[in-house]
Amino acid sequence: MEKNVSAAVQPPARAVRKVRIGKNIYSVPEIVVGVLLLVPSIVFLVFTFVIPVVQVVELSLTNFNMATGEMSFVGIRNYEYLLGNEDFWLSMWNTCKYSAAKLIFDTSLALLIAVQLDKNIPLKKFLRSTYFAPVVVPMVASSLIWIWFYDPQVGPFNQILSFLGLPELKWLYSEHTAMISILLFSIWKGLGYNVVLFLSGLQNISDSYLEAARLDGASEWQLFWKVKFPLLRPITNFVVIMCIINSFKVFTEINVMTPNGGPLGSTRLIVSYIYEQAFTNGRMGRASAAALLLFVVIFILTQIRSAMDARKDVDYE
Amino acid sequence: MSKNPDIQPMRIRRKRLNGYQWYVFVMLTIGAVFMLFPFVWMILSAFKTKADVYAYPPRWIPSSWQWQNFTKVFEMIPFWRYYFNSIVTSVIETVLQIVISIFAAYSITKLRYPGKKLFLAFMRSSLFVPMVVTMIPMYLLVASLGWLDTYAGIIFPQVTTAFTTLLLMSYFDSIPKDLVDSAKLDGCGYFRVLTRVVVPNAKGAISTATLFSFLGNWKSYTWPLIVTTKTEYRTLPIGLKYLMQESSSEYQVMMAASLMAILPVLIIFIFCEKQLVRSITLTGMKS
């Protein structure tokens, strides 16, 4: 703080101390202030990022068990265990299923809604808000509503089914329907996010392209596939990859709606697997190894994304 | 566009809807009803009697308005305590995140010194690593400090600043250099340039970042779940989960609790929707 004050009261006439680093000349007080302002960021980054990342690698090479307190170096045995473990692969498989279904339905539905919301219709703003509302509402509170919807005895969904004369379902309590129930919920919850992204992309498309296509007699259908969709590609890429990456991080709704992996482990996603290994079974070493395997997957996905971003985008100029 | 007289008829046409537009409007409205249905159901159900909840066919409007559902929440769980914990932790986290981010963003965009690129690369790389990867060692670290079941244990590990710093940087960048230079000539030091020039000129960006951080912290679930074992330190999301386990199928009470938990977010949503949407589109474009 003292440094700032002294810099503040320095008359411009008095020369500030300079220092030459490489080719450039810097003012010494500016370097000091600049670096001091970064110190809080660096401290937090060290404690929440650098140290944990180093330690998670170390832990993954041990058999550290919180319950028994034993800890010794086991090399890559945790990785061997995981790669040969059915539950691990089941949770990976569940995650892939979740991710694929969410990708197909969420993205296409969001695009469809965004394109319609982009048209001249009444109550446009209000409609957009309703699609966006579930995104903002905290996950646990909205999960509670849906747990009731899915209740096999008193839930509205089964009441509707029986009113229609259809067989009732066990929703979250059957290994056949649990994953679908979770997916329905998370599409409702997350749809608005992608709608907003697509909508902003659509609004960025210059009217002149659309007018030109209309003058050429393009139908709405052609307008979408030939003009809007290609121009939206950067956004679509982003939405698709983020949808996949986020699927590999899903935990809250799974933990609230189907604790302990759901019926026969059918809704245990990879993060739930890691959580259970670490904090239910106390197997910190094994869980760390699983977390690092997950990191590899996410890292590859992010690399694919940057590769896609680097590709040349459609440009009509 | 307004300069071109040919476009004028288009504008007039916009007022009247053709058949296709009606069709789109009706479909979107049906979709919107589906999106809103859970909220309407929750609000109405928070006032229902137990008999209403179990009624078949389902009862929309409560047969009598049960305000005691709300008092029952307070009997079953220390709801105010959870509320208080959530407010304390998310407010402190948000303030720390924003202040630290403002410092860093100002330092990087407005001051000259070597080694910035290195710091930026370091900060960006932290965005690649999701919380699942760091949570186990972080838990052990917090435990070894004796911070389990403390506010410090909940708060500090959740102070992540990389994202907000990048967000603010993009705005600080657009503040003209002349503005900063003229303030310096008027005798402003580095700190006063920050408080008198940079912050006032980036108010919109700072409030967007604050909102974004706060909502993220308010709904945070996994970390508080891990580091709290005692009731006194549970935050609202964790408390709601335990309420659900304890109040098995007393849905009217669960809905009353959910409604109270959602309320602050709902208020923020109604007043700041524009900023929320902007924060999403910004993060979508930038990250």
Side-chain angles (χ1 to χ4, degrees):
Chain A
M1 210 49 73
E2 233 171 276
K3 283 248 149 51
N4 302 334
V5 176
S6 70
V9 294
Q10 259 173 18
R14 210 174 108 193
V16 178
R17 266 207 293 156
K18 304 270 184 182
V19 63
R20 175 189 285 272
I21 299 169
K23 284 179 204 150
N24 301 309
I25 295 165
Y26 298 95
S27 110
V28 173
E30 198 160 338
I31 295 179
V32 173
V33 174
V35 173
L36 275 179
L37 288 173
L38 288 187
V39 167
S41 293
I42 293 172
V43 169
F44 273 97
L45 278 171
V46 166
F47 280 98
T48 63
F49 168 56
V50 181
I51 295 178
V53 165
V54 173
Q55 282 183 338
V56 79
V57 176
E58 283 175 7
L59 277 168
S60 76
L61 302 173
T62 71
N63 64 352
F64 181 41
N65 187 329
M66 278 274 283
T68 60
E70 67 175 313
M71 180 167 180
S72 49
F73 184 78
V74 295
I76 58 163
R77 219 177 297 157
N78 284 323
Y79 296 95
E80 285 171 353
Y81 170 86
L82 288 170
L83 294 177
N85 180 270
E86 252 178 57
D87 281 346
F88 176 75
W89 283 114
L90 178 63
S91 67
M92 271 290 187
W93 171 235
N94 285 338
T95 314
C96 291
K97 275 200 293 189
Y98 175 93
S99 170
K102 186 124 198 270
L103 182 65
I104 293 166
F105 293 107
D106 202 329
T107 316
S108 50
L109 214 55
L111 185 57
L112 181 74
I113 292 168
V115 169
Q116 307 310 326
L117 276 176
D118 194 38
K119 298 203 165 103
N120 297 308
I121 46 157
L123 296 175
K124 200 161 141 175
K125 279 203 178 122
F126 174 76
L127 285 170
R128 191 190 67 180
S129 305
T130 58
Y131 286 98
F132 186 56
V135 176
V136 191
V137 170
M139 187 61 89
V140 179
S142 40
S143 301
L144 292 187
I145 309 172
W146 281 70
I147 287 174
W148 181 6
F149 284 176
Y150 286 140
D151 190 307
Q153 270 93 48
V154 296
F157 282 4
N158 265 356
Q159 290 179 331
I160 293 167
L161 285 181
S162 81
F163 176 77
L164 296 172
L166 294 168
E168 297 188 356
L169 296 172
K170 284 163 112 185
W171 300 104
L172 293 167
Y173 300 96
S174 147
E175 74 268 25
H176 303 296
T177 50
M179 183 61 105
I180 295 169
S181 312
I182 296 270
L183 272 163
L184 265 180
F185 165 75
S186 59
I187 289 171
W188 169 79
K189 180 83 172 69
L191 196 61
Y193 185 85
N194 292 337
V195 169
V196 165
L197 282 177
F198 278 129
L199 206 52
S200 77
L202 285 166
Q203 282 160 354
N204 281 339
I205 294 177
S206 157
D207 273 348
S208 56
Y209 300 145
L210 302 175
E211 292 302 334
R214 280 201 190 100
L215 284 177
D216 288 345
S219 65
E220 285 290 328
W221 185 252
Q222 286 170 322
L223 209 60
F224 176 73
W225 286 110
K226 296 277 157 70
V227 183
K228 292 180 184 170
F229 192 67
L231 282 168
L232 271 180
R233 209 186 65 193
I235 304 253
T236 315
N237 285 350
F238 175 78
V239 168
V240 165
I241 285 288
M242 286 321 281
C243 182
I244 301 173
I245 292 177
N246 286 333
S247 303
F248 279 87
K249 296 182 189 168
V250 166
F251 176 70
T252 309
E253 57 266 54
I254 303 284
N255 186 260
V256 175
M257 295 176 97
T258 58
N260 305 319
L264 301 177
S266 59
T267 59
R268 183 179 289 119
L269 301 192
I270 182 67
V271 180
S272 332
Y273 179 83
I274 295 168
Y275 173 82
E276 283 169 33
Q277 286 292 344
F279 300 104
T280 313
N281 307 338
R283 296 261 184 188
M284 295 295 181
R286 190 181 287 169
S288 301
L292 279 170
L293 288 178
L294 172 62
F295 173 67
V296 171
V297 174
I298 292 180
F299 186 75
I300 292 170
L301 289 169
T302 21
Q303 291 310 306
I304 294 175
R305 198 198 135 204
S306 14
M308 287 205 311
D309 279 352
R311 238 167 34 177
K312 204 178 176 307
D313 290 324
V314 182
D315 191 357
Y316 286 156
E317 294 298 343
Chain B
M1 198 162 130
S2 53
K3 279 179 200 157
N4 189 342
D6 294 343
I7 303 299
Q8 283 311 111
M10 284 284 298
R11 285 236 165 138
I12 294 158
R13 210 182 66 197
R14 273 176 198 183
K15 295 284 170 197
R16 240 180 281 132
L17 298 184
N18 59 32
Y20 177 69
Q21 280 168 322
W22 269 113
Y23 170 75
V24 166
F25 175 64
V26 169
M27 291 317 275
L28 281 176
T29 310
I30 293 173
V33 169
F34 274 105
M35 300 308 273
L36 284 187
F37 173 73
F39 297 125
V40 177
W41 185 259
M42 173 192 72
I43 294 167
L44 289 172
S45 303
F47 297 97
K48 282 178 186 170
T49 64
K50 201 169 179 182
D52 293 340
V53 166
Y54 286 88
Y56 181 84
R59 191 181 263 282
W60 275 92
I61 307 295
S63 54
S64 68
W65 293 77
Q66 299 290 309
W67 288 93
Q68 55 263 49
N69 288 342
F70 292 90
T71 47
K72 201 152 178 207
V73 172
F74 298 110
E75 284 162 23
M76 292 178 78
I77 52 169
F79 194 81
W80 286 128
R81 179 76 202 203
Y82 295 160
Y83 226 100
F84 178 74
N85 290 345
S86 267
I87 290 173
V88 168
T89 53
S90 24
V91 166
I92 297 178
E93 283 159 20
T94 308
V95 169
L96 281 173
Q97 279 169 339
I98 296 302
V99 170
I100 293 172
S101 300
I102 288 176
F103 282 172
Y106 168 61
S107 165
I108 293 167
T109 53
K110 292 283 170 265
L111 301 177
R112 276 188 75 239
Y113 57 90
K116 275 184 206 171
K117 275 203 179 125
L118 198 71
F119 173 78
L120 269 177
F122 171 49
M123 195 176 67
R124 283 219 175 88
S125 61
S126 78
L127 287 171
F128 281 102
V129 181
M131 215 266 269
V132 216
V133 177
T134 53
M135 80 183 175
I136 294 166
M138 212 124 82
Y139 169 82
L140 296 174
L141 178 71
V142 165
S144 70
L145 289 169
W147 279 2
L148 293 181
D149 286 313
T150 63
Y151 287 135
I154 300 173
I155 292 167
F156 288 121
Q158 295 200 87
V159 179
T160 48
T161 57
F163 189 75
T164 35
T165 307
L166 291 173
L167 192 75
L168 289 178
M169 269 171 57
S170 62
Y171 276 90
F172 287 7
D173 253 340
S174 64
I175 296 172
K177 200 173 176 296
D178 296 349
L179 220 57
V180 175
D181 287 343
S182 64
K184 272 187 190 156
L185 280 179
D186 290 345
C188 283
Y190 296 111
F191 199 72
R192 283 218 293 181
V193 168
L194 175 62
T195 54
R196 299 276 168 85
V197 180
V198 176
V199 170
N201 276 296
K203 262 188 205 152
I206 292 170
S207 61
T208 303
T210 309
L211 214 63
F212 186 81
S213 293
F214 180 80
L215 286 179
N217 296 329
W218 181 260
K219 68 181 185 204
S220 159
Y221 177 78
T222 315
W223 182 254
L225 176 72
I226 294 171
V227 290
T228 55
T229 52
K230 289 184 190 143
T231 325
E232 301 98 277
Y233 288 99
R234 278 181 197 149
T235 55
L236 207 45
I238 318 296
L240 280 183
K241 189 207 168 184
Y242 281 98
L243 172 72
M244 179 193 80
Q245 285 174 355
E246 281 156 37
S247 73
S248 55
S249 49
E250 292 236 29
Y251 288 113
Q252 72 284 12
V253 182
M254 266 161 58
M255 292 307 111
S258 299
L259 182 56
M260 288 191 283
I262 287 176
L263 223 51
V265 179
L266 223 53
I267 293 167
I268 293 177
F269 177 66
I270 290 166
F271 287 102
C272 317
E273 197 209 340
K274 221 174 163 185
Q275 279 179 318
L276 286 174
V277 168
R278 198 173 59 172
S279 76
I280 285 189
T281 48
L282 267 177
T283 57
M285 305 305 127
K286 295 261 151 53
S287 60

